[in-house]
Amino acid sequence: MKLGVLRFTLTALFWIAVFVVPAGAALAAGEIQRPVAVKVNGNMLDVEAQLIDGRTMVPLRAIFERLSATLEWDPNTRSITATKGTVVIHLQIDNIEAKIGDRASTLDVPPLLVNGSTYVPLRFVSEALGANVDFDSTTNTAIVTTDNSCNLPGGQVHNGTIKPGGETWSVCGSPHFVKDDFYVEGKDSPNLVIEAGAVVRFENGAGILVGLNAPGGLVVEGTEKDPVTFSADTAGAQPGFWKGIHFYGQTVKGRASIDFAHIEYAGGSNGAVTVTAGTSPVELTVRDTLFKNNAYAGIQLMENTRLSPQSKNLTITGTKTSPDGGGAPIVTAAYGTNGLPDGDYKENELNVVLIAAAMSSTTINTNTTWNKLSIPYQAKITVYVDGPSSPVLTIAPGTETIWEKLSGLTVGSYDRGGLIAKGTKERPITFTSQLERPGSWDGIGAGPYVGKDFKLEYVHVKDAVNGITLPEDLGPILTNSTIENSKEYGIYIKSSNVATDYLAGNTFRSNAKDIYTQ
């Protein structure tokens, strides 16, 4: 327990350093009368409050985190934003005007800089976050209580391996600090449950690793009112400060879910949340979750991993590239492209679903659907569709796909496979290049094992080497479509026995040659 208290004290001191007053700066307003002790749910704060102009003022992070609120500081405006569930408080240094959500409120004493630390009014902050405040004049102690009394001091420290039988991290004990990597695994398949309202902060390079060497599971049980917060244990954090949450091949089935969470400043060589597996597929459920200011990716799906059909309401913003690349809200191998939920994927360095893998190609070997998303799919590598189960890739109307140099979509090349890309006149399906010039991607190819499920309707194929390559005359597989700017051929047919008029009902323009038969 001493370690937890010491850890919390050091963290509070670190944050105090962020709000340093320049040399010679004076207290903006108010007079310090005497120090005040503060007790939250029976536990004393590790820092001392001050009585200023008759109001108890407390170091901001100490009280915010004990009440399970997250904190943001804007050095340009010297403003503070505290969030707990749906409650958002806005404060500004030396300004008596505050806001709770959209409601204005006037303070008796504004937030102040005192001896280099930022102090905020205890009663206003506590009551705005749903706590009660009393004062014991005999002991000169402010007493803060919430509806759920907590017997654990804030600043619980976690490292090493989860306890046998599993653990539950809750508001009680928040903020939880993760030092180094925390392994969720064991002979008894332990689960880590993180309850609504909990705050988890990570040291530099730390992360949560689930099911790496033995079975284990992670269930994040945030709610709309009280989300779970995963963030960096530092002031002025940058994307990639901590490793992220990683699920591996021994993740217990049905025990990989994240509901109503805020995940920020994670990632780096992988995404903020990364799922990777070998031969055994792993499925992750993510619902109503905000990913903000992470490196490489918000979500990364590697090898045989997918998001479950129950995943929904994702917001991924502020994703930055790392030395390993990325920069997209979602980075995935081909298997993970199935059924991705649409979401708010704005203001990332790359506003695309990035299809990438360690190899130069990736294979869709089960039936897969590319949903229409608010952002395009962008393939860095060639995507193959084939396998013993005769997989079919179905692309929804209005879907946009972007292909990088030397990449392409190949169906039925090594085993049976199919492609159904049926757009509409109002919502065509687009296949185009990243470079936007003729020959800057390989195009759509049908191999010798392509099945009868190969239909293209209202598609727009642009800037390929060959727009569409066929092994033979496959009949009227292309209708109401446009092929343009092909470096060599709009359609290349590897046969001289061709009866179908592929020009009829389609539009060909600016190709070196529209049709070529071998």
Side-chain angles (χ1 to χ4, degrees):
M1 196 64 68
K2 290 182 179 179
L3 176 60
V5 173
L6 176 60
R7 183 66 183 78
F8 182 82
T9 304
L10 291 175
T11 302
L13 290 173
F14 185 93
W15 268 75
I16 287 172
V18 178
F19 308 112
V20 175
V21 184
L27 181 65
E31 179 183 351
I32 300 176
Q33 296 176 350
R34 64 180 185 273
V36 177
V38 178
K39 182 182 290 186
V40 181
N41 289 329
N43 296 294
M44 300 297 293
L45 287 187
D46 298 316
V47 292
E48 196 172 66
Q50 302 287 346
L51 192 66
I52 301 175
D53 287 348
R55 298 291 182 267
T56 302
M57 306 288 284
V58 65
L60 81 170
R61 187 176 181 185
I63 188 63
F64 282 147
E65 291 197 335
R66 276 299 181 93
L67 296 176
S68 301
T70 58
L71 176 68
E72 291 186 11
W73 163 257
D74 186 339
N76 297 319
T77 60
R78 302 203 307 167
S79 60
I80 306 145
T81 301
T83 304
K84 181 180 180 182
T86 58
V87 178
V88 180
I89 303 171
H90 299 282
L91 300 164
Q92 188 175 40
I93 300 297
D94 297 335
N95 189 346
I96 61 172
E97 298 300 323
K99 294 181 73 175
I100 304 175
D102 295 327
R103 178 170 58 87
S105 182
T106 302
L107 307 174
D108 294 325
V109 178
L112 300 171
L113 289 169
V114 181
N115 298 327
S117 300
T118 298
Y119 280 67
V120 293
L122 173 65
R123 181 173 296 276
F124 171 80
V125 169
S126 299
E127 292 181 349
L129 295 175
N132 297 313
V133 181
D134 294 308
F135 193 82
D136 186 344
S137 58
T138 59
T139 60
N140 202 36
T141 301
I143 301 172
V144 181
T145 57
T146 60
D147 291 338
N148 298 314
S149 181
C150 177
N151 295 319
L152 287 175
Q156 295 295 300
V157 176
H158 309 274
N159 57 16
T161 302
I162 192 170
K163 297 174 183 177
E167 296 181 21
T168 297
W169 299 355
S170 63
V171 171
C172 186
S174 286
H176 298 265
F177 293 102
V178 177
K179 181 180 180 180
D180 300 322
D181 287 333
F182 185 76
Y183 293 84
V184 182
E185 57 185 40
K187 294 180 180 180
D188 61 342
S189 303
N191 293 313
L192 172 59
V193 177
I194 304 180
E195 294 184 339
V199 175
V200 185
R201 296 191 179 278
F202 295 80
E203 289 195 349
N204 190 12
I208 295 177
L209 283 62
V210 183
L212 176 59
N213 304 299
L218 170 65
V219 178
V220 178
E221 298 179 336
T223 65
E224 182 176 8
K225 181 180 178 182
D226 294 303
V228 173
T229 299
F230 298 91
S231 190
D233 181 28
T234 185
Q238 296 297 317
F241 179 83
W242 59 285
K243 182 179 295 181
I245 301 170
H246 291 215
F247 295 87
Y248 292 93
Q250 296 192 61
T251 300
V252 176
K253 185 176 181 180
R255 283 294 181 176
S257 62
I258 300 174
D259 287 294
F260 287 103
H262 295 171
I263 303 172
E264 59 184 7
Y265 302 117
S269 58
N270 297 107
V273 172
T274 295
V275 193
T276 183
T279 56
S280 300
V282 174
E283 197 168 79
L284 168 68
T285 298
V286 185
R287 291 177 287 225
D288 304 290
T289 292
L290 168 65
F291 297 80
K292 185 177 180 181
N293 296 334
N294 296 296
Y296 192 81
I299 298 174
Q300 183 181 12
L301 304 170
M302 302 173 67
E303 300 169 333
N304 294 319
T305 67
R306 289 180 173 178
L307 294 182
S308 74
Q310 291 74 40
S311 298
K312 62 186 179 76
N313 296 340
L314 306 182
T315 299
I316 307 179
T317 185
T319 311
K320 303 297 184 182
T321 57
S322 75
D324 294 284
I330 299 175
V331 176
T332 179
Y335 187 86
T337 57
N338 181 64
L340 289 174
D342 200 7
D344 186 355
Y345 305 129
K346 299 176 182 176
E347 299 181 7
N348 304 285
E349 285 202 24
L350 296 175
N351 290 316
V352 299
V353 171
L354 194 61
I355 303 173
M359 306 297 288
S360 59
S361 64
T362 183
T363 300
I364 292 174
N365 54 21
T366 62
N367 287 341
T368 295
T369 297
W370 289 2
N371 289 332
K372 166 70 173 72
L373 305 179
S374 57
I375 57 175
Y377 298 78
Q378 181 167 317
K380 293 181 67 68
I381 54 180
T382 295
V383 176
Y384 288 91
V385 184
D386 54 37
S389 64
S390 302
V392 176
L393 170 61
T394 302
I395 304 179
T399 299
E400 181 182 356
T401 68
I402 301 172
W403 302 83
E404 297 191 19
K405 189 174 179 61
L406 302 179
S407 71
L409 178 60
T410 302
V411 181
S413 182
Y414 299 102
D415 209 331
R416 294 168 295 173
L419 170 66
I420 303 295
K422 290 187 176 182
T424 66
K425 184 176 181 180
E426 294 75 22
R427 297 200 302 165
I429 296 169
T430 302
F431 298 86
T432 188
S433 74
Q434 181 191 33
L435 300 177
E436 298 184 337
R437 61 173 182 260
S440 50
W441 68 292
D442 289 347
I444 301 171
Y449 300 103
V450 67
K452 62 180 180 180
D453 291 321
F454 189 83
K455 303 290 183 183
L456 306 174
E457 184 173 353
Y458 285 108
V459 302
H460 188 178
V461 183
K462 185 179 179 182
D463 296 329
V465 176
N466 297 312
I468 299 173
T469 300
L470 305 177
E472 59 187 356
D473 185 351
L474 297 181
I477 51 89
L478 182 71
T479 56
N480 298 310
S481 297
T482 300
I483 301 178
E484 65 175 319
N485 291 344
S486 302
K487 182 179 180 180
E488 295 182 6
Y489 312 113
I491 296 180
Y492 173 33
I493 306 173
K494 297 179 179 180
S495 173
S496 59
N497 185 19
V498 177
T500 302
D501 183 1
Y502 289 98
L503 295 174
N506 299 299
T507 300
F508 291 77
R509 57 174 173 256
S510 302
N511 303 297
K513 186 177 179 63
D514 291 337
I515 301 285
Y516 177 80
T517 59
Q518 197 171 52

